[in-house]
Amino acid sequence: MTKMAMVYFDHNATTPVDPMVLEAMLPWLSGQFGNASSRHEYGRAARKAVDEARDRVAAAVGAHATEIVFTGGGSEADNLFIKGAAAFLKPGMIAISPVEHPAVIKSVEQLARRAWRLHRLAVDAKGRIDEADYRQTLSAGPRLISVMLANNETGVLQNVATLADAAQACGAVFHTDGVQALGKIPIDFRSLNACGVNALALSAHKLGGPKGVGALVADKRIEIEPLIAGGGQERGLRSGTENVAAIVGFGVACELAVQHLAERSSRLTALRQRLEEGLSAMGATLFGAGADRVPNTVCFAIAGFDGETLIMHLDRAGYALASGAACSSADSEPSHVLTAMGVPNGLARGAVRVSFGSGNTQEEVDAFLVALRDTTTKLRQLNTTF
Ligand SMILES: Cc1ncc(COP(=O)(O)O)c(C=O)c1O
């Protein structure tokens, strides 16, 4: 049961639905229940709402409305492009960064069980693609490349435009997962596309929208085999009756996120700096520090403390945080992201992720630092460190 006074520091896992988003969604869950494919008044109203949401999502990422394919979330958007584009390519090498979300990793692993050859690119100690390794990989002629815009665990940004530009010269198709970037940094699909990015995956629930809806922004020159066949919705790329309420919510969430991006970014950057100063004073290691990052994310470890243990104790103290590989932090294996960055297993097992949202305050950060210090002192006394 959630305590009323809980401080929520886990916005990279999901965000609360913005009240304006909820308000926009509600009519589509009650009186306005039409199927967007129906020709009558109910259906036409639903179609109009879906089209308006498409315009809003497209505007938020500098894309054309006809490039947006609504999906059941970010994972589906990643799967749709990677498997769907691969279906039309001659199997060969597929290269991904080693810090991708499992939606990308598992998709390419499925391809690798067929005729594809999977290559994991190298990253440096801050989690950025190693340029020399990347150039060498390109010389081997990969057909498909996937590198995310922003990492969900560390917040580290990749220079996707430059990477895609080099890939384009080699004729490779390029996909980027923008799920953790949307609403945190400006995204312009038009200019990314001009640099050779063919597809961008998005999700609504990381920016105040509902869960279970997202989009693939796809270059129409690339042929994609749908994952779901049927009634031919979404230009035949994603059959199934549209989830009108969720799509409407996604549209409004995108519009709000972009409207307030600059203001939110500077506020969250100040919170991050305050937290990092406090953590550094406690001797914590900050992962990805010094690299360009989204403003809301801090991933750290305190040597000798297990991340799972820390987040359990901090949960009791009223703080909702994530440990290690935090989208589904059920296993206690060290994060594949930190391992790829060369972080030793012991320290990686200590990883804790704080991800701020627009409702968080300086006072919450200060109180969290006190709670963290108290927790580590108590654990030391109990001798539960390792
Ligand atoms: C980088 C990244 N990609 C994809 C996803 C999956 O998105 P969804 O939860 O909408 O399926 C997530 C979710 O945490 C993510 O962080």
Side-chain angles (χ1 to χ4, degrees), residues 232-251:
Q233 289 90 342
E234 297 299 302
R235 291 193 282 119
L237 290 173
R238 209 282 188 171
S239 285
T241 303
E242 294 90 340
N243 185 346
V244 180
I247 289 171
V248 166
F250 184 22

Side-chain angles (χ1 to χ4, degrees), residues 7 9 282 302 310 313-319 321 363-379:
V7 173
F9 277 169
M282 291 171 68
I302 302 177
L310 278 181
H313 283 266
L314 287 161
D315 181 38
R316 275 186 227 137
Y319 296 90
L321 307 157
E363 290 71 30
E364 288 173 346
V365 171
D366 293 345
F368 169 71
L369 285 165
V370 173
L372 179 62
R373 195 177 285 279
D374 289 351
T375 303
T376 53
T377 305
K378 194 167 75 188
L379 290 173

Side-chain angles (χ1 to χ4, degrees), residues 12 73-75 78 101 148 150 152 177 179-180 203 205-206 327:
N12 285 10
S75 300
D78 284 331
H101 186 271
M148 69 204 321
N152 43 305
D177 178 329
V179 169
Q180 293 289 349
S203 178
H205 73 105
K206 312 291 186 182
C327 261

